[in-house]
Amino acid sequence: MKLFYVILGATPIGRNIEQHDVFFGIGENLKDLVPDMKKFWPEAKGKIHIDCYQEVQFVDGFEVKIVEKTSESVENHLFFINLGGYQSGKFEELHEQYLMVGQSLAKIIRKVKKTDFYKTMGFPEAVSHIDDKHAVDIDDVFNVNDILPLKMKEKYSIILEKSQIESQKNFTHIGYLAISKLK
C-alpha cells in the first residue's frame, strides 16, 4: 500500500474560478482512490481533476511505510503544511506546501520558520495572517494521519523509519490529469 498526496482541482457550482484542495489517501494505486476523492469533495459533483500527485515514499530522511492499524505510539509524525504569503506587486496570495516529519507540532513550527518561503514572503503592507492557534503565519497544518479518509484511518497506520537509502525521491506527476484517464 502507498500513501498518495494529491492536489485536486474543480470549479464547483457558484464559484468563478477553479478551486484547489489537498487529498491524502492510501491505496495500491491512484485509481483506487477515485471514489474517495469524489466523496471528499461533494460540492464538485464528481467534476474534479488532479493537478499533481505524489507517491510519498520518503520525507526528511524517513521512509514512509503503510501498515495495518497499530495502537503502538509512534515517535515521529508526518505533517502537511500549507504556507501562505505575499509578494509586492502580485495580486494574489501565494502558497507553498511541505511534508515534514516531526515529533510535535511545536517542532514542525520551528522547521517551517527556517524555510525560504517563510522567511521571504510578505512585506509591511501585506503581512501574512496569523493563525492564533499556531502563532505563526501558516494557512494550514495537519498531521496527515488526521486528514485521511475515515476508512483508511481505521485500517492503516503511517510508520516513519529512518532511511539509509541514498536516492530518496518520490514519484511525482505535475500537470492536469483527468481522473477518467487513470489506468
Side-chain angles (χ1 to χ4, degrees):
M1 300 302 278
K2 300 174 188 174
L3 175 66
F4 289 89
Y5 165 25
V6 184
I7 303 298
L8 299 173
T11 307
I13 294 171
R15 298 288 161 229
N16 296 320
I17 62 172
E18 182 179 336
Q19 311 289 292
H20 294 94
D21 208 339
V22 64
F23 172 84
F24 286 90
I26 295 171
E28 288 183 28
N29 58 60
L30 191 59
K31 185 175 182 173
D32 292 344
L33 301 178
V34 169
D36 297 296
M37 287 185 249
K38 289 180 178 180
K39 185 177 178 184
F40 168 75
W41 201 348
E43 303 84 2
K45 307 274 187 228
K47 296 180 179 177
I48 59 174
H49 63 271
I50 295 170
D51 280 308
C52 51
Y53 75 91
Q54 186 175 87
E55 293 178 13
V56 183
Q57 296 175 290
F58 301 99
V59 176
D60 286 346
F62 289 83
E63 188 171 353
V64 176
K65 296 190 174 193
I66 306 302
V67 299
E68 291 294 322
K69 187 71 177 176
T70 177
S71 59
E72 292 179 34
S73 66
V74 293
E75 182 178 349
N76 290 296
H77 302 276
L78 181 62
F79 289 89
F80 166 75
I81 301 97
N82 182 39
L83 289 176
Y86 305 93
Q87 283 184 336
S88 181
K90 289 203 177 212
F91 188 69
E92 63 184 320
E93 181 182 5
L94 303 168
H95 289 90
E96 192 156 315
Q97 299 175 352
Y98 299 88
L99 290 178
M100 292 182 174
V101 173
Q103 295 174 341
S104 67
L105 184 58
K107 289 183 179 186
I108 289 298
I109 298 294
R110 286 195 290 276
K111 283 174 84 168
V112 166
K113 287 182 175 183
K114 294 177 183 175
T115 65
D116 287 339
F117 187 92
Y118 183 86
K119 292 176 185 178
T120 61
M121 288 294 140
F123 53 98
E125 296 82 29
V127 177
S128 296
H129 56 275
I130 303 298
D131 182 327
D132 294 332
K133 181 178 179 186
H134 306 298
V136 66
D137 37 346
I138 294 176
D139 278 359
D140 308 288
V141 59
F142 298 99
N143 182 322
V144 173
N145 274 317
D146 295 341
I147 58 174
L148 286 168
L150 182 60
K151 71 178 187 179
M152 294 173 197
K153 281 194 270 195
E154 291 174 342
K155 187 172 183 180
Y156 300 107
S157 291
I158 298 172
I159 303 297
L160 303 163
E161 292 182 359
K162 200 70 175 153
S163 178
Q164 300 304 317
I165 297 173
E166 282 189 41
S167 176
Q168 296 191 6
K169 295 191 185 222
N170 295 316
F171 174 81
T172 302
H173 171 87
I174 298 173
Y176 181 92
L177 178 61
I179 59 174
S180 61
K181 302 288 185 202
L182 292 175
K183 298 176 182 177

